[in-house]
Amino acid sequence: MIDYEPTTGVIHLHNQLISYVLQIEPNGVLIHRYWGPNLRHWRLDALNQPERTGQTPVLADADIALGSICAEWPGGGQGDYRYPAFQMRQHNGSPLASLRFKALQIREGKPVLEGLPQFFVVSDDEAETLVLTLTDTTTAVEVTLYYTIYRAFASIIRRVEVRNLGAVPVRLDEIMSASIDLRPQAFDVIQLNGDWAREANVEREPVHTGTKVLRSNRGMSSAQQNPFFALVTPETTEQSGEVFGFALVYSGNFICRIEKDPNALVRAQIGIDSENFSWHLDPGAQFETPEAVLTYSEAGLNGMSQIFHQIIGQRLIPTRYQHMERPILVNNWEATTFNFDRERLLKIAKAGQAVGAELFVLDDGWFGHRDDDTSSLGDWVEYPGKLQGGLVGLSKTIHRWGMKFGLWFEPEMISQNSQLYRTHPDWRLCDPSYTPAVGRHQYLLDLTMPAVRDYLFERISAVIDLVGIDYIKWDMNRPMTDVFSCHLPADQQGEVAHRYVLGLYALISRLTARYPQVLFEGCASGGGRFDMGMLAYMPQIWTSDNTDAIARLRIQYGTSLIYPQSTMGAHVSAAPNEQVGRMTTIETRQNVATSGVLGYELDLTELTTADVDAVKARVKQYKQLRQLLQYGRMIRLRSPFETNEASWVIVDETQTQAVVFFTRVLAQANQLVMPLKLAGLDARADYRVEGRICGGDELMSVGLTLTPPRHQDFWSKMLVLERVSSD
Ligand code: DGJ
């Protein structure tokens, strides 16, 4: 998988799908050569010397113009005027670094990364890792680049480690997880942006000369921007064309930078955002970046998504959750918010049990003295007297009914009106000389502090042990401000945001390791922290606080660009919908939620008998199709961002069963009906669709003509296809 040719310095990472080539020049400078479809070998270097451009200075000791090359790990200050991947400040104030090749190793498997979420290997022979060390010509600072290639995935996992082997401290000001210079070619960039309740908007635009930055400086990966981008050729569609996808395995501040220089070289970078970031490296100290995953596909955006889905599903989500059938839950939040008592909860849970739901989740409001969002965060002890018989009694009853029981927590927060704040005012993240900004009446806890993490670990463990819970919804409802820790020295204040995220990972890895039987679902006011970092611990995430089925079409479509459907919490809620007031049928609501991890978030006792029957039928059907629905191959067919419709199909591995989802948003007079060409089926097989037998070839080449009723907005259809024979 990784070949190194010492005479030419060419390093070729390859599997049957992709090749990634870099080269060590005789002077030790690292050059990027190629990333794309698999090549048998790389011999083109003589024909691929870049033109030296106009005013580009030359490295005097190496006869190389850094500003003209495709760099693999660019530093600043010596003639490469594009954004560097690495920037340090030396003890004497110098911003320079000249990194040259020192050593390389090719290792079986993938070395473990301490303290950060990561892709893993199940056996060492499934991947190889290139460990390439560069050293600065002056300071004895070493940079080690890690590249892992798996046999089975069209991806490269990259990360970087910096070590200060010198005798004086240095300060890191910028360090990307991956940087790559793509050769001149026209690209569009695709991003996922949004805000609360409208996450994962797909936006596409041409890459022009200059720099495009996508980032979050909110201390969380954010609803505003997902830590992802794709560079695609202009003709690329969902089904065909070249895609270079980049994503970060990280939940905090990040930056994606796409810089096209006037000579049409495109530099693509992803890593921790450098605003307010610096890292103090004492002699002997080291720093590790989060991992980035780089994915190449020739099969359009669906091709890219399927690679992300596979690698996330198989090598990121903890193995114990893989292929685990995720329970159908009932959550009380939209039904009751904070206004519940035992009787109300049990009514909802009982109605859930009657329709076949498997897990009852008690959301916010069970702890401290919390009857609204102004108090008690941090006081993770039961609200005395709110529930007759207490949490233990509630949990016992739910369990007796054959359901699992789950609880909501928002561990990273502190309310000013809380016992915790009264005892530990210095546990809040802020600079005490300023009045901190408040969000939803709450503040962040300083997770850089071990004492805070220990407190949370103990409190949450005590509740799990006492109450007996099977599921935790881990919420996080405000972005970071006032990024200052009273417990760190002045020269480490640039480390706070990253140390917070490291603290979060330390806490959740401790809890998830201690309670492997508990299913964790991430949440940050919905999809405010929907990223690969969280997925390395928690296999599903509440996709959005917007539960309107029509809004969800876009949110789930966009989210699926990167994340598999088994990671997307998707609930049926009441009509009219709480967030947008829209009326939709139970069928439409269930169809949209069925294409994620199905749940119900409404008072089921208020449904009509016909709707209850529809829910029962769907729950039964979902259970029968659950492996396929949660773990099948999802292929997007029609985009709600581009058309009045949304459609996707989920096909099982053996192409025996498939489920097609189709929604037409608004009714139209004299509507033009476009055949819906399916994908992913076996062209040689026949399938039963609604009592008729059709060929897989027909379904994919001719398509289905679904004709919605003339006078119905928000019409939706779910079709199950069963294979009947093959020639
Ligand atoms: C925000 C979440 O996204 C909601 O689902 C709910 O849990 C509330 N927080 C509770 O405060």
Side-chain angles (χ1 to χ4, degrees):
M1 280 180 277
I2 303 180
D3 300 325
Y4 171 49
E5 177 53 66
T7 48
T8 58
V10 169
I11 308 167
H12 184 184
L13 295 87
H14 56 94
N15 60 24
Q16 283 182 350
L17 303 160
I18 54 164
S19 279
Y20 187 106
V21 183
L22 37 139
Q23 189 165 15
I24 306 158
E25 290 286 287
N27 45 55
V29 172
L30 206 55
I31 303 228
H32 176 76
R33 287 295 188 194
Y34 173 81
W35 175 31
N38 167 268
L39 303 174
R40 282 171 297 129
H41 37 61
W42 178 266
R43 291 183 193 146
L44 270 169
D45 33 320
L47 299 174
N48 263 275
Q49 294 304 342
E51 289 276 316
R52 198 165 283 176
T53 51
Q55 284 186 316
T56 315
V58 172
L59 275 188
D61 65 336
D63 190 30
I64 195 161
L66 293 179
S68 313
I69 61 168
C70 283
E72 185 65 22
W73 187 249
Q78 294 220 301
D80 187 342
Y81 296 101
R82 296 161 290 180
Y83 279 93
F86 170 78
Q87 182 92 57
M88 68 178 183
R89 183 69 65 177
Q90 296 180 30
H91 202 50
N92 65 0
S94 167
L96 296 181
S98 186
L99 294 165
R100 306 293 174 90
F101 172 73
K102 181 178 175 195
L104 73 74
Q105 277 183 319
I106 296 165
R107 293 205 209 158
E108 272 218 308
K110 183 169 183 293
V112 169
L113 168 60
E114 290 302 329
L116 280 158
Q118 61 207 282
F119 287 93
F120 56 82
V121 289
V122 170
S123 70
D124 274 349
D125 58 3
E126 68 180 43
E128 279 183 7
T129 300
L130 168 67
V131 183
L132 189 60
T133 301
L134 312 174
T135 188
D136 180 38
T137 48
T138 303
T139 56
V141 167
E142 271 188 12
V143 172
T144 302
L145 310 178
Y146 289 80
Y147 300 76
T148 299
I149 182 164
Y150 288 84
R151 233 172 259 290
F153 306 111
S155 299
I156 305 278
I157 314 293
R158 287 184 60 175
R159 69 176 172 94
V160 181
E161 194 175 272
V162 186
R163 243 166 299 135
N164 180 7
L165 301 179
V168 287
V170 296
R171 193 182 77 200
L172 271 182
D173 286 332
E174 167 105 75
I175 178 137
M176 292 294 102
S177 294
S179 176
I180 189 167
D181 288 350
L182 299 168
R183 284 125 47 86
Q185 193 176 351
F187 284 117
D188 288 350
V189 58
I190 294 179
Q191 56 166 305
L192 291 180
N193 59 36
D195 208 322
W196 173 74
R198 52 181 175 82
E199 298 88 343
N201 279 295
V202 181
E203 205 173 294
R204 174 171 179 164
E205 65 186 302
V207 173
H208 294 296
T209 304
T211 305
K212 172 97 190 163
V213 164
L214 311 168
R215 68 175 190 141
S216 165
N217 57 357
R218 294 166 182 261
M220 59 206 284
S221 49
S222 88
Q224 286 71 16
Q225 197 74 55
N226 203 275
F228 151 84
F229 66 102
L231 294 174
V232 304
T233 48
E235 62 281 4
T236 291
T237 65
E238 277 285 12
Q239 318 299 353
S240 68
E242 278 201 296
V243 185
F244 298 84
F246 301 76
L248 199 63
V249 188
Y250 190 58
S251 311
N253 296 337
F254 71 87
I255 188 165
C256 304
R257 200 158 37 211
I258 301 106
E259 180 178 14
K260 182 173 179 182
D261 78 357
N263 298 303
L265 291 177
V266 174
R267 176 163 292 176
Q269 298 181 324
I270 192 164
I272 292 178
D273 185 34
S274 57
E275 184 197 339
N276 287 332
F277 168 84
S278 61
W279 201 271
H280 180 88
L281 273 184
D282 274 327
Q286 68 181 54
F287 177 84
E288 274 97 17
T289 71
E291 288 187 341
V293 49
L294 280 56
T295 286
Y296 175 78
S297 166
E298 284 179 291
L301 289 168
N302 269 309
M304 171 197 74
S305 301
Q306 279 154 29
I307 301 163
F308 276 136
H309 291 191
Q310 284 165 14
I311 196 165
I312 290 172
Q314 296 169 29
R315 294 295 179 268
L316 182 71
I317 284 171
T319 28
R320 65 182 176 279
Y321 297 123
Q322 290 180 17
H323 289 276
M324 167 192 159
E325 299 210 335
R326 308 293 170 72
I328 301 170
L329 66 81
V330 178
N331 176 307
N332 71 305
W333 178 247
E334 284 200 17
T336 68
T337 62
F338 299 99
N339 309 312
F340 56 81
D341 56 19
R342 176 184 158 93
E343 202 187 335
R344 180 101 201 268
L345 295 179
L346 285 182
K347 262 192 187 160
I348 296 172
K350 190 75 188 165
Q353 185 217 31
V355 296
E358 299 153 314
L359 162 68
F360 176 73
V361 179
L362 171 54
D363 211 282
D364 197 352
W366 57 265
F367 54 93
H369 285 87
R370 188 152 160 108
D371 288 317
D372 56 33
D373 59 13
T374 61
S375 81
S376 304
L377 292 169
D379 297 344
W380 299 110
V381 282
E382 184 176 350
Y383 188 150
K386 186 157 177 176
L387 294 172
Q388 210 194 358
L391 276 178
V392 174
L394 184 69
S395 162
K396 276 195 180 141
T397 308
I398 303 284
H399 283 126
R400 207 173 52 241
W401 290 349
M403 293 173 89
K404 292 177 187 290
F405 181 61
L407 269 189
W408 178 97
F409 285 86
E410 195 180 359
E412 298 156 66
M413 298 294 157
I414 182 164
S415 307
Q416 196 150 347
N417 181 8
S418 68
Q419 196 48 48
L420 186 66
Y421 185 77
R422 287 184 279 277
T423 321
H424 294 291
D426 61 319
W427 281 13
R428 177 169 72 166
L429 197 69
C430 72
D431 175 347
S433 27
Y434 292 83
T435 308
V438 64
R440 210 196 186 203
H441 312 282
Q442 65 199 51
Y443 304 90
L444 280 105
L445 280 167
D446 184 352
L447 289 193
T448 70
M449 295 171 60
V452 171
R453 303 198 296 266
D454 288 347
Y455 166 81
L456 291 170
F457 179 76
E458 273 145 31
R459 284 305 331 138
I460 296 168
S461 299
V463 177
I464 300 177
D465 294 341
L466 178 74
V467 179
I469 57 184
D470 312 293
Y471 162 104
I472 285 181
K473 178 174 173 185
W474 184 291
D475 206 349
M476 197 276 195
N477 284 307
R478 60 153 294 179
M480 197 180 276
T481 59
D482 301 276
V483 186
F484 185 91
S485 170
C486 305
H487 303 270
L488 286 173
D491 63 356
Q492 286 190 275
Q493 291 300 330
E495 302 176 7
V496 173
H498 182 55
R499 283 190 184 275
Y500 176 95
V501 180
L502 294 177
L504 169 68
Y505 291 145
L507 175 62
I508 57 182
S509 63
R510 215 170 142 196
L511 277 165
T512 51
R514 169 133 172 209
Y515 297 103
Q517 79 284 7
V518 174
L519 173 63
F520 284 77
E521 176 155 355
C523 175
S525 305
R529 204 164 53 185
F530 205 130
D531 58 59
M532 295 189 193
M534 293 311 284
L535 287 174
Y537 308 95
M538 305 185 177
Q540 57 192 64
I541 295 179
W542 179 226
T543 316
S544 176
D545 273 354
N546 193 338
T547 54
D548 170 59
I550 300 307
R552 275 289 184 129
L553 291 173
R554 287 184 169 207
I555 293 168
Q556 291 175 201
Y557 191 98
T559 304
S560 80
L561 244 58
I562 320 168
Y563 307 104
Q565 68 273 17
S566 65
T567 64
M568 285 189 233
H571 300 175
V572 176
S573 64
N577 175 267
E578 185 179 303
Q579 292 81 21
V580 298
R582 197 176 347 253
M583 289 296 296
T584 49
T585 61
I586 192 77
E587 184 168 18
T588 297
R589 279 176 279 152
Q590 294 204 106
N591 286 352
V592 178
T594 296
S595 43
V597 177
L598 176 65
Y600 291 82
E601 183 145 346
L602 73 170
D603 189 341
L604 289 160
T605 63
E606 288 173 3
L607 289 183
T608 62
T609 319
D611 281 2
V612 169
D613 289 344
V615 171
K616 273 189 193 154
R618 176 51 55 90
V619 166
K620 187 168 169 217
Q621 188 184 27
Y622 189 86
K623 287 178 182 170
Q624 283 159 358
L625 296 170
R626 182 155 33 193
Q627 270 297 332
L628 161 65
L629 288 167
Q630 293 182 348
Y631 296 105
R633 177 174 166 222
M634 182 203 179
I635 307 169
R636 293 176 301 270
L637 302 173
R638 199 155 286 168
S639 167
F641 293 96
E642 290 162 15
T643 69
N644 187 32
E645 294 161 356
S647 180
W648 45 80
V649 59
I650 303 176
V651 189
D652 73 355
E653 219 180 312
T654 56
Q655 297 166 302
T656 306
Q657 265 189 331
V659 183
V660 179
F661 295 91
F662 175 86
T663 305
R664 191 229 7 221
V665 178
L666 292 178
Q668 284 172 331
N670 196 11
Q671 135 170 256
L672 178 67
V673 177
M674 306 283 279
L676 182 70
K677 292 186 184 176
L678 304 189
L681 305 176
D682 181 348
R684 293 156 309 153
D686 286 338
Y687 293 86
R688 179 174 291 108
V689 196
E690 301 217 302
R692 307 191 56 150
I693 310 271
C694 311
D697 50 356
E698 295 171 276
L699 290 164
M700 294 192 290
S701 301
V702 186
L704 287 170
T705 304
L706 298 173
T707 315
R710 275 178 57 202
H711 290 153
Q712 195 180 328
D713 287 340
F714 321 128
W715 181 81
S716 168
K717 183 110 188 135
M718 171 176 144
L719 291 167
V720 180
L721 276 63
E722 306 271 355
R723 185 188 188 125
V724 289
S725 71
S726 48
D727 301 340

